[in-house]
Amino acid sequence: MSTISKHLIALEDEAIYIFREVAAQFERPALLFSGGKDSIVLLHLALKAFSPGKIPFPLVHVDTGHNFPEVITFRDQLVAATNSRLIVASVEAAIRKYNLKEAGGRFPSRNALQTYALLDIIQEYEFDACIGGARRDEEKARAKERIFSVRDDFGQWDPKLQRPELWDILNGKISKGHNVRVFPLSNWTELDVWNYIKSNAIQLPPLYYAHQREVIHFQDKLVATSDVTRAVQDDIVTVEQVRYRTVGDMTCTAAVPSQAVTIDEIIEEIFNTRISERGQTRLDDQVSETAMEDRKKQGYF
Amino acid sequence: MNTLRFITAGNVDDGKSTLIGRLLYDSGSIHTDQLGILQKQSKLQDDIDLSLITDGLRAEREQGITIDVAYKYFATARRKFIIADAPGHEQYTRNMITGASNSDLIILLIDARKGITAQTKRHASIASLMGIKNAIVAINKIDLVNYDQSVFDSIVNAFESLKKELAFDEVHYIPVSALKGDNIVKNTNNTSWYKGKSLIELLEAIELNENKNALPRFQVQWVIRPKDEAYHDYRGYAGKIISGRYKVGDEVKILPANITTSISKIERHQQAVDTAYAGENVVLHLEDNIDISRGDSIIPKAENITATQSFRTWLSWLDNAPLQKEKTYLLQHRFKTVRIKVDSIDQLWDVNNWAFKDAENIRLNDIAQVSIRTNQGLVVDSIASNTANGYGILIDESSHQTVAAIMFL
């Protein structure tokens, strides 16, 4: 524990407290692990909550098939290093099983299809609590999210049915078939996450740091070229010094121009930026004003 | 400085959303892309409607109301803040209670033209009842009364007499215009007669009681028993110190079993420490091998507290279905859940008229004093004497909904 502010310690205490509540109140919890920075921080906090014991639940990765390869490599290394159990839910398998149609457009997102794989794996393993890294500062629909968010048999979230969450008491009682999404990082901001990564010297996939990458200039965003995001005629393609501020699918996450190669430079960059994390990097949130609210109602994380 | 969590409460037209929008906007917490969306949503294209910052969900915008508590984050160079934005509609009082339970301070917003209303009294009473010790009375729309000091003074006087009935330690008064920005970040010449701090300066300066000197209370949240080779004999009791402090060597009793032992080791962040304080997650180790499970209390032996099974409490009803007296409910006090029955409704608090009355039923938004019995002993304090160990929630056994907030008397 190096120089860590009182504020960060309080956030860490809160998250550890939530993890222990999940372990105590649920039969079969799971930690949803995307390989992104928020879920890496979650794993780190879970290790602390149960140390020197093991984490009493598996990690679940919803693999869209459009992940950055370096994130998958990092995921597997981290799972091995922490002696965790990993379950992979495949979106491609769900597409075949349900004969799902891919989204249209230039860079079709599999976000909507992710829900099928997630709900399937919840049903298969009878998970009653799924822990995720969503934060209330990310987006307006998330600002009203509970720490324990109850979902019905269809994985649906109804803002009007959420329980009042009083003091630090978490009510995890649910009916059969229902499950709870748990958000230990609810009160963290993007800057808090980075400061915590710094103070705990947490390793991240390399694409979070500035590097050279071939990108397509698409509208006002930079999209990495890959097998699933190929350049077409008339595209402007250049090699730029970029980094990723969020890590989702290759088809829906944009890179940002950046010279920040150290964590201090990243923190400085975020501190000075005037555009939100999702606004700068997500190609899929801006389709409609209420895109996130709609997806959440359908069972999206 | 520690984080300050506060709730803003006021009538629906008092400009609460505008005030929050103003705090976020002036502290630079609104990102440019979000501003773009706000301008798109705002009816006047070139004028940003600050209230749209907090009106998040489409369902709410369609109805033009706020239906749930929204949490917003901002920071100044001095401090981090979490705002619980609770709606002013009477039918959504349960959200105000949720927001208040997660706040250290309340900003009561009063429309300078209207003065103190029934809703102001209601919000102030609830906050006080729930153990909030700090209040700021923001007299808003001061621009609409021509920045008249006498309007401000008369509202201050009226609230001062109201305050006698409330349990606030401190009340601060500020004349503001959330719309124009007067006295939000810095004081303006429009209210040159006001010599106090601006709202932000006040929020930055207020110090919180951290319960470190309060009665020592600890409940076991989770028992850590790795059961592997390296930690074969490890048995630690994890939990958050509710209040007070714990020290290695303390003689303690385990409640409700009432067995005595002493603390052999305290771990914090995987490191041994000598002393730990309120709010910290720790793992306690005990000298003797005792069968202890989640929900048991570890309390210094000299403390005059035992597990009891009948209580008088405040009950704040949050569910659409009214209380059924003959039914059993679950009461969750921290990590211990017991069954309860309400023996009697002693009196209902008519917060609008500030009077007690008899009642047969307790319905949504009612606040009442009741007598309850539990099937197992609980180790609790009154909310007035030790807030952190004086509350609980009531859960319906069949719907699993949280139906009431409980404050022990």
Side-chain angles (χ1 to χ4, degrees):
Chain A
M1 200 69 24
S2 57
T3 51
I4 176 162
S5 76
K6 203 169 173 177
H7 158 76
L8 275 187
I9 292 172
L11 287 174
E12 179 188 68
D13 272 323
E14 183 182 61
I16 288 173
Y17 173 88
I18 294 165
F19 269 114
R20 289 174 177 162
E21 277 311 273
V22 174
Q25 293 199 36
F26 296 92
E27 298 281 323
R28 275 178 290 275
L31 193 158
L32 292 202
F33 186 81
S34 69
K37 66 178 191 313
D38 298 311
S39 68
I40 292 168
V41 166
L42 271 187
L43 176 58
H44 192 86
L45 289 163
L47 289 165
K48 283 195 181 186
F50 304 106
S51 165
K54 283 200 179 66
I55 299 176
F57 39 76
L59 312 184
V60 169
H61 181 220
V62 180
D63 184 349
T64 59
H66 286 174
N67 298 288
F68 288 93
E70 49 269 63
V71 172
I72 298 293
T73 308
F74 186 89
R75 175 196 79 185
D76 293 341
Q77 285 166 356
L78 190 60
V79 165
T82 57
N83 200 12
S84 312
R85 184 176 155 224
L86 175 73
I87 296 167
V88 177
S90 163
V91 173
E92 297 205 319
I95 290 172
R96 286 194 299 274
K97 178 177 165 189
Y98 297 111
N99 194 20
L100 302 173
K101 291 269 181 296
E102 296 265 8
R106 177 70 204 276
F107 299 113
S109 161
R110 283 184 168 172
N111 267 339
L113 306 181
Q114 245 175 287
T115 308
Y116 291 89
L118 177 62
L119 297 184
D120 267 8
I121 206 101
I122 288 173
Q123 204 167 15
E124 184 185 340
Y125 286 86
E126 295 179 61
F127 291 131
D128 50 5
C130 295
I131 304 155
R135 310 188 314 267
R136 287 178 181 145
D137 83 320
E138 280 181 82
E139 209 273 341
K140 280 164 72 168
R142 286 191 164 156
K144 305 198 170 186
E145 187 56 283
R146 301 293 196 263
I147 291 171
F148 276 13
S149 173
V150 184
R151 308 300 169 104
D152 65 14
D153 306 47
F154 301 96
Q156 289 183 6
W157 178 83
D158 181 345
K160 288 180 187 166
L161 288 179
Q162 297 303 314
R163 295 167 183 176
E165 255 172 11
L166 296 141
W167 297 285
D168 49 1
I169 306 177
L170 295 166
N171 171 7
K173 300 228 164 8
I174 47 171
S175 308
K176 199 163 166 49
H178 287 194
N179 62 76
V180 169
R181 306 284 165 89
V182 181
F183 303 112
L185 306 182
S186 287
N187 289 323
W188 297 50
T189 62
E190 184 188 15
L191 210 51
D192 293 331
V193 171
W194 281 106
N195 280 317
Y196 189 80
I197 289 167
K198 182 190 169 188
S199 63
N200 285 268
I202 297 171
Q203 298 293 308
L204 295 181
L207 41 59
Y208 277 107
Y209 299 91
H211 56 283
Q212 297 276 308
R213 189 179 283 264
E214 189 182 75
V215 290
I216 307 163
H217 296 248
F218 177 71
Q219 292 162 1
D220 58 344
K221 301 224 162 51
L222 303 176
V223 182
T225 55
S226 70
D227 291 348
V228 292
T229 48
R230 291 177 197 282
V232 296
Q233 213 178 0
D234 299 335
D235 270 350
I236 300 165
V237 180
T238 57
V239 173
E240 301 289 337
Q241 177 84 352
V242 296
R243 66 175 198 90
Y244 284 86
R245 205 169 149 193
T246 66
V247 170
D249 278 2
M250 288 188 288
T251 53
C252 65
T253 314
V256 297
S258 171
Q259 303 297 322
V261 293
T262 67
I263 192 145
D264 285 316
E265 286 164 358
I266 290 174
I267 289 170
E268 166 126 20
E269 196 179 277
I270 294 164
F271 192 74
N272 292 322
T273 189
R274 302 292 304 135
I275 183 161
S276 78
E277 190 180 58
R278 294 195 83 91
Q280 189 179 22
T281 63
R282 290 303 169 105
L283 299 168
D284 51 336
D285 274 354
Q286 295 172 342
V287 179
S288 80
E289 279 169 16
T290 55
M292 177 70 91
E293 187 181 347
D294 292 338
R295 266 191 289 153
K296 242 171 85 168
K297 281 186 176 167
Q298 285 149 18
Y300 180 76
F301 224 76
Chain B
M1 248 340 217
N2 44 16
T3 303
L4 182 74
R5 302 172 307 165
F6 64 90
I7 180 171
T8 50
N11 285 328
V12 81
D13 298 321
D14 288 346
K16 192 160 48 65
S17 294
T18 306
L19 176 76
I20 294 170
R22 171 64 64 189
L23 287 171
L24 297 173
Y25 185 72
D26 286 357
S27 64
S29 308
I30 308 291
H31 290 115
T32 49
D33 58 316
Q34 292 166 338
L35 271 182
I37 294 172
L38 288 176
Q39 273 161 329
K40 210 161 67 184
Q41 285 170 359
S42 192
K43 282 164 199 146
L44 298 165
Q45 290 295 322
D46 48 354
D47 200 15
I48 298 161
D49 181 351
L50 291 171
S51 70
L52 286 177
I53 292 166
T54 54
D55 286 353
L57 306 177
R58 181 173 51 199
E60 295 171 331
R61 283 205 299 279
E62 283 165 3
Q63 296 166 47
I65 52 159
T66 334
I67 56 171
D68 203 356
V69 183
Y71 294 94
K72 289 283 162 186
Y73 303 81
F74 74 100
T76 64
R78 291 209 182 138
R79 200 175 209 175
K80 294 227 170 202
F81 300 94
I82 303 177
I83 313 175
D85 181 19
H89 278 253
E90 188 160 0
Q91 64 268 39
Y92 292 108
T93 293
R94 67 174 212 162
N95 293 318
M96 149 93 205
I97 287 170
T98 305
S101 76
N102 288 301
S103 298
D104 311 303
L105 175 147
I106 183 165
I107 298 180
L108 286 156
L109 212 58
I110 295 175
D111 186 328
R113 298 167 304 174
K114 294 182 196 152
I116 292 166
T117 63
Q119 195 73 266
T120 314
K121 282 187 174 183
R122 187 180 180 87
H123 290 152
S125 311
I126 291 169
S128 159
L129 200 73
M130 298 190 80
I132 293 182
K133 297 294 178 200
N134 299 287
I136 295 175
V137 175
I139 296 156
N140 192 27
K141 306 193 183 181
I142 198 76
D143 53 318
L144 297 183
V145 295
N146 300 316
Y147 301 99
D148 184 349
Q149 185 181 1
S150 68
V151 174
F152 175 78
D153 287 345
S154 74
I155 294 172
V156 171
N157 288 336
F159 199 89
E160 278 292 301
S161 64
L162 199 71
K163 201 180 90 177
K164 297 185 187 100
E165 314 280 331
L166 303 166
F168 294 130
D169 286 345
E170 256 186 308
V171 178
H172 304 268
Y173 302 92
I174 310 184
V176 298
S177 167
L179 193 68
K180 302 271 172 67
D182 292 299
N183 303 333
I184 303 290
V185 175
K186 52 177 193 275
N187 294 354
T188 59
N189 292 331
N190 294 325
T191 52
S192 52
W193 43 267
Y194 172 72
K195 303 296 179 205
K197 290 186 164 76
S198 73
L199 183 58
I200 289 270
E201 288 166 351
L202 195 54
L203 290 171
E204 285 178 335
I206 283 172
E207 291 198 29
L208 300 174
N209 171 14
E210 296 181 7
N211 287 325
K212 285 185 180 172
N213 298 315
L215 307 166
R217 300 285 185 261
F218 179 90
Q219 218 189 67
V220 177
Q221 184 182 13
W222 177 255
V223 182
I224 299 180
R225 290 207 66 186
K227 291 179 190 152
D228 62 15
E229 285 294 305
Y231 296 96
H232 195 264
D233 294 324
Y234 188 100
R235 186 200 281 253
Y237 303 101
K240 176 166 83 175
I241 295 178
I242 300 169
S243 55
R245 63 187 176 135
Y246 281 74
K247 227 170 131 32
V248 173
D250 279 354
E251 300 245 330
V252 292
K253 54 185 174 187
I254 313 304
L255 296 175
N258 213 8
I259 302 165
T260 55
T261 180
S262 61
I263 295 174
S264 58
K265 186 179 168 190
I266 301 175
E267 285 178 275
R268 167 113 176 110
H269 298 127
Q270 286 76 48
Q271 314 250 329
V273 294
D274 188 55
T275 314
Y277 299 92
E280 297 178 353
N281 282 317
V282 292
V283 181
L284 300 185
H285 296 257
L286 301 175
E287 203 57 63
D288 304 290
N289 224 342
I290 304 166
D291 185 21
I292 297 176
S293 41
R294 174 173 158 91
D296 287 346
S297 289
I298 300 176
I299 309 276
K301 206 170 129 187
E303 283 291 311
N304 183 25
I305 188 169
T306 53
T308 38
Q309 289 183 255
S310 66
F311 306 91
R312 292 198 67 223
T313 76
W314 284 108
L315 201 64
S316 166
W317 202 256
L318 309 170
D319 202 42
N320 288 321
L323 166 77
Q324 281 182 273
K325 270 199 335 199
E326 60 283 6
K327 193 163 143 179
T328 46
Y329 290 90
L330 297 174
L331 188 164
Q332 188 176 345
H333 169 250
R334 305 220 148 251
F335 317 122
K336 189 155 182 107
T337 303
V338 299
R339 286 205 165 74
I340 75 135
K341 259 189 179 170
V342 173
D343 276 341
S344 62
I345 300 170
D346 301 331
Q347 48 189 355
L348 192 76
W349 192 17
D350 177 359
V351 278
N352 294 329
N353 296 308
W354 274 42
F356 287 105
K357 59 185 187 189
D358 292 337
E360 285 301 310
N361 297 302
I362 300 180
R363 297 191 176 81
L364 179 64
N365 294 326
D366 282 349
I367 295 173
Q369 281 187 8
V370 298
S371 297
I372 63 168
R373 257 179 315 124
T374 63
N375 70 331
Q376 290 177 57
L378 290 178
V379 180
V380 301
D381 295 299
S382 73
I383 190 126
S385 69
N386 188 14
T387 307
N389 197 42
Y391 53 75
I393 59 170
L394 221 55
I395 300 168
D396 185 293
E397 277 194 275
S398 55
S399 74
H400 307 304
Q401 277 294 326
T402 300
V403 294
I406 283 188
M407 285 77 77
F408 290 93
L409 279 158

